[in-house]
Amino acid sequence: MSASGYSPSPAQQARDAYRRRQTVLSVLVAAASTAAIGTLLAVAVTGAPGWSRVRDSFLDPQIARDALPEVLAGLWLNLRLLVCCAVGALLLGLLVAVLRTLRGPVFFPIRGLAAGYTYAFRGLPLIIVLYVLTLGVPGLRLQGMPPVLVLGGLALVLTYGGYLAEVFRAGIESVHPSQLAAARSLGLTHRQTMRHVVLPQAVRRVAPPLLNDVVALQKDVGLVSLAGPIDAVRAAQIATAQTFNYTPYVVAGVLFVLLAVPLIAVTDQVTLRAARRQSGG
């Protein structure tokens, strides 16, 4: 008997033992099936007629070791660009979403501009925005023109700001109108209502899709290499041109996956918590 005076009945003990056995059995079956499928895939790939040529062209260990320092240095640029662009896109998306929710005919031009921005940048391919800002804008030769890296980051912010604006707007509009009416009846202004009542709920509700867009942004920061900055992708391209081997691209891809794993894990955890909150669990 435990200190609290409670002792499980024999039936409860039998159920607990059955659950433990089922858990162990499930783990063993999952491990066995994973090992079997992995073995089949390995045999199918390594048994292909052209496997030796692919291995030499994409999986050369010596070339991977030689290219790793330069690719890592480029990845540090991608990481800094990701942080700056994610913050900028979140702030821009939130601003545009708030502007689109303004009421009254006097704000119609602002709502129209905000809607036009979201329609345009959600429809434009990112690569076109990058080319226009990094190749076209410098051709104007204006005074104080920012470097190409800044222009590439601006292209990412503008493009993803359009997506995030719609996510934020969906969250804002999901708040029941009765809460807005209650806040106004307490004497809160529209600005105070948005800040203290609407936005906290909206951001919490749309956190999972926001994090998914940040994960997508983490991959797309590699496109800035098209404008010339030496990031991980550009470093891999330079190493490939020197060795005539594609292993550096594989190294860059593996590093991008490792960079995305923490973001994906956080996204999955937030999504699971949101699902439990909605189901009352």
Side-chain angles (χ1 to χ4, degrees):
M1 183 176 294
S2 61
S4 61
Y6 169 75
S7 178
S9 64
Q12 181 64 39
Q13 294 177 1
R15 285 193 293 268
D16 293 340
Y18 174 77
R19 293 192 184 99
R20 286 193 295 268
R21 289 195 301 270
Q22 288 298 111
T23 301
V24 173
L25 180 61
S26 298
V27 171
L28 292 177
V29 170
S33 61
T34 302
I37 294 176
T39 302
L40 290 176
L41 289 177
V43 170
V45 172
T46 57
W51 164 244
S52 59
R53 185 174 181 180
V54 171
R55 180 188 58 198
D56 295 338
S57 299
F58 288 88
L59 301 173
D60 191 310
Q62 183 59 44
I63 293 178
R65 285 192 295 268
D66 295 339
L68 183 59
E70 288 77 12
V71 177
L72 275 175
L75 188 69
W76 173 237
L77 175 63
N78 290 118
L79 181 59
R80 289 180 292 168
L81 188 64
L82 170 63
V83 173
C84 296
C85 291
V87 173
L90 287 169
L91 294 177
L92 178 61
L94 180 59
L95 175 63
V96 173
V98 172
L99 294 179
R100 290 199 65 182
T101 58
L102 294 176
R103 296 293 180 261
V106 69
F107 295 113
F108 176 79
I110 297 177
R111 292 197 303 270
L113 289 174
Y117 161 76
T118 56
Y119 292 159
F121 283 95
R122 289 170 65 202
L124 280 172
L126 174 58
I127 191 171
I128 293 180
V129 181
L130 276 168
Y131 279 141
V132 170
L133 288 180
T134 59
L135 302 179
V137 173
L140 298 175
R141 298 184 179 183
L142 299 175
Q143 293 293 331
M145 181 66 64
V148 173
L149 181 61
V150 176
L151 293 174
L154 180 61
L156 291 168
V157 170
L158 290 175
T159 301
Y160 274 87
Y163 293 109
L164 296 176
E166 287 302 288
V167 175
F168 277 121
R169 187 168 72 95
I172 291 173
E173 293 182 350
S174 68
V175 178
H176 199 274
S178 62
Q179 299 195 34
L180 280 72
R184 298 305 295 270
S185 66
L186 293 175
L188 274 68
T189 63
H190 177 75
R191 177 183 176 184
Q192 292 172 331
T193 302
M194 292 295 295
R195 178 183 176 184
H196 298 290
V197 178
V198 177
L199 290 182
Q201 299 182 68
V203 172
R204 184 170 61 250
R205 293 179 181 181
V206 300
L210 288 177
L211 290 174
N212 282 327
D213 284 335
V214 173
V215 172
L217 176 61
Q218 180 267 331
K219 297 182 296 182
D220 285 343
V221 292
L223 292 177
V224 76
S225 62
L226 297 173
I230 302 180
D231 68 335
V233 178
R234 176 66 70 178
Q237 183 181 21
I238 294 173
T240 297
Q242 293 172 346
T243 60
F244 300 100
N245 190 285
Y246 296 100
T247 302
Y249 281 122
V250 177
V251 174
V254 171
L255 292 177
F256 269 102
V257 171
L258 294 177
L259 181 62
V261 166
L263 289 174
I264 296 174
V266 171
T267 302
D268 292 342
Q269 185 64 27
V270 171
T271 304
L272 181 61
R273 290 178 58 185
R276 288 176 177 174
R277 190 185 305 115
Q278 291 180 358
S279 62

